[in-house]
Structure formats: C-alpha cells, structure tokens
Amino acid sequence: MRIQLACLLLLFATVVSQDANARYKKFIKQHINGRMSANQCDAVIGSRHITKTDSNECKETNTFIRATTKLVKPICGRAGEPYGQLTKSLLPFDIVVCTLKNQQARYPNCQYRGQARTRQIAIRCENGLPVHYERDIVSFEN
C-alpha cells in the first residue's frame, strides 16, 4: 500500500511539474523579449501568434518584459516578495505595454499601440517558475 501511494505521489508531482514547465514556456513566448521596443508590438505579437486563450481574438493588452529569463525567473525566489497570491519583483523592469487599437479584431489583423515603461511587475509562480504575468506596479519612493 505504501509503495502504491508513493508511486501515485511521484506521478502527481511529475504531472504538476510538466504542467508548470509548459506554462513557463508559454510565459516566455508571451512576455519575454529583451530587445522589444514600443513600435514593434504588431510584428512581435503577430509572429508569436499571441491571442486570447483558445481563440483567434486579439488580446486587449499584452506586456513584454525587456529582460532575459535569467533576470525574470529569480523573481520567483530571492528577487521577489509576496504580493497577495502573486509575487512582486523587488526591482523595476523595463517593459513594453501593447494595447489593442482596433477593438473586436481577429488574428492576424491585430493592431497595437506600444508604450515603454519602467515598473515593478507582479507575476504568478508555480514550482519556482513564472507562469502568468498579472500587472505592472507603480511604486512611489520617498
């Protein structure tokens, strides 16, 4: 009985880990671009086929973090702090926020307006990996 339970727990841990890895890869595709500029939203979102989940509808907003995964991944550890159910970066990041200009458009006709910002970011982490970009955070320092 103990062996069966151990095997079941190992199988569950493997499935959860694989699921988090798949979400991490999607996070990278949708939100990491170290060379992104505000005027590249249409091209990058189009080439990466970023749409609303399970549809061909254009996303209202998509944010790109201008950094490498080596800088973003540590937010889920020592470079982040709890922020409700999320994790907030300790340091600000350069980001590009792409906002849909043509409402109700469908891929591949999405047109975006990009805006560069520097903000702390809030993400969801699973198994030590970033899996969801939630929002940027304006912080006021004294």
Side-chain angles (χ1 to χ4, degrees):
M1 183 69 169
R2 288 182 184 174
I3 293 173
Q4 290 173 332
L5 181 59
C7 288
L8 185 60
L9 288 174
L10 182 60
L11 177 65
F12 178 74
T14 302
V15 169
V16 168
S17 177
Q18 289 173 345
D19 196 36
N21 283 331
R23 286 199 290 276
Y24 176 54
K25 288 178 183 176
K26 182 177 180 183
F27 175 87
I28 292 169
K29 174 186 164 188
Q30 289 190 328
H31 300 293
I32 303 291
N33 187 327
R35 297 177 181 219
M36 184 74 182
S37 68
N39 63 355
Q40 293 177 303
C41 289
D42 293 348
V44 174
I45 289 173
S47 69
R48 295 185 181 193
H49 197 138
I50 297 171
T51 60
K52 286 186 181 179
T53 303
D54 299 325
S55 77
N56 67 341
E57 293 179 55
C58 303
K59 283 183 78 174
E60 296 290 325
T61 304
N62 195 77
T63 301
F64 291 97
I65 305 164
R66 297 190 62 219
T68 64
T69 56
K70 289 181 181 180
L71 293 172
V72 176
K73 189 176 175 184
I75 296 170
C76 294
R78 68 186 184 286
E81 64 185 7
Y83 186 73
Q85 299 291 324
L86 305 169
T87 303
K88 176 175 76 169
S89 64
L90 296 176
L91 298 174
F93 282 84
D94 290 334
I95 61 173
V96 174
V97 180
C98 301
T99 306
L100 187 65
K101 292 191 296 188
N102 54 340
Q103 301 299 314
Q104 274 75 49
R106 298 208 175 261
Y107 179 86
N109 300 313
C110 310
Q111 296 176 355
Y112 291 88
R113 177 177 301 107
Q115 185 179 36
R117 301 177 181 165
T118 301
R119 302 276 197 277
Q120 287 176 282
I121 59 175
I123 60 175
R124 184 180 320 123
C125 299
E126 291 179 10
N127 293 343
L129 299 172
V131 296
H132 175 72
Y133 182 96
E134 183 64 31
R135 65 170 125 336
D136 58 89
I137 302 165
V138 178
S139 57
F140 299 99
E141 305 263 339
N142 292 333

